[in-house]
Amino acid sequence: MTIRKPTRADIAPLLDIYNYEVENGVATLDINKKSLSDWEKWYDRHNIENHPLIVAEIEGEIAGYATLSSYREKEAYKSTVELSVYVSPKHRKMGVGTALMKEILLMAVKDESIHTVVSVITSGNEASRRLHEKLGFEFCGTIREVGMKFGRYVDIENYQLRV
């Protein structure tokens, strides 16, 4: 497995991974698939300032990605970033998520402009919860029935890591 910064050629495979979750999972609460144009804009908002984007590649195929993005728009939140990690269904349970999280958290620790990393996990995602706790994240509370997906309300769990 190689972890690296993506190129523009990686945008479509990254979009495929994300849209899989839109249609089949609750890792994102987006309901409608994103377009290539949407994802090109998303790509352009990363690898600038304190918003890295990295990918895991296995045998020439994008296996997953991790990002640090703006937590909120207000200036006071600038030193807080939100972590997202997505792994393709084909490459799950192979350590891809762990490798991506370790690498992006190392980047956060080295970036003096980052003070806090926040992660929002849809309730019931036990693998993600265990991984966050293993890597030192602190559970900060649950917001009940905050989103509706697949005809049911879902909760979100908030985690943070001060770096």
Side-chain angles (χ1 to χ4, degrees):
M1 177 180 351
T2 302
I3 296 180
R4 61 174 174 78
K5 286 186 179 181
T7 67
R8 292 195 84 74
D10 297 319
I11 295 173
L14 297 174
L15 176 62
D16 290 342
I17 292 169
Y18 186 80
N19 278 338
Y20 177 87
E21 282 302 317
V22 170
E23 292 185 305
N24 299 288
V26 291
T28 177
L29 294 184
D30 271 329
I31 295 171
N32 298 304
K33 290 171 55 173
K34 298 294 183 182
S35 69
L36 187 57
S37 174
D38 293 332
W39 225 237
E40 287 169 342
K41 291 174 189 163
W42 168 87
Y43 175 88
D44 290 338
R45 289 191 303 268
H46 289 90
N47 288 324
I48 55 172
E49 297 181 351
N50 61 358
H51 300 129
L53 165 61
I54 56 174
V55 298
E57 183 178 341
I58 298 175
E59 297 178 1
E61 189 173 9
I62 300 298
Y65 67 90
T67 65
L68 297 179
S69 303
S70 295
Y71 173 65
R72 298 283 186 265
E73 294 300 316
K74 295 179 176 75
E75 294 97 10
Y77 292 114
K78 191 162 182 71
S79 64
T80 299
V81 292
E82 184 172 349
L83 169 68
S84 296
V85 178
Y86 289 87
V87 178
S88 76
K90 177 181 176 180
H91 296 97
R92 292 184 181 166
K93 297 184 180 183
M94 298 173 64
V96 173
T98 301
L100 285 164
M101 275 187 64
K102 285 181 176 179
E103 183 65 26
I104 207 151
L105 291 175
L106 182 60
M107 295 169 82
V109 166
K110 291 178 179 178
D111 187 332
E112 293 180 5
S113 72
I114 296 175
H115 178 70
T116 302
V117 178
V118 172
S119 197
V120 179
I121 303 170
T122 306
S123 292
N125 188 341
E126 294 304 310
S128 185
R129 183 187 57 75
R130 282 192 306 273
L131 178 57
H132 280 76
E133 290 174 357
K134 181 175 104 175
L135 295 179
F137 279 77
E138 174 186 2
F139 174 71
C140 297
T142 300
I143 301 176
R144 306 255 178 240
E145 298 182 357
V146 72
M148 164 95 48
K149 192 159 183 187
F150 304 129
R152 66 179 175 90
Y153 282 104
V154 295
D155 303 341
I156 58 170
E157 298 172 351
N158 296 285
Y159 283 80
Q160 84 172 72
L161 177 70
R162 285 171 281 172
V163 296

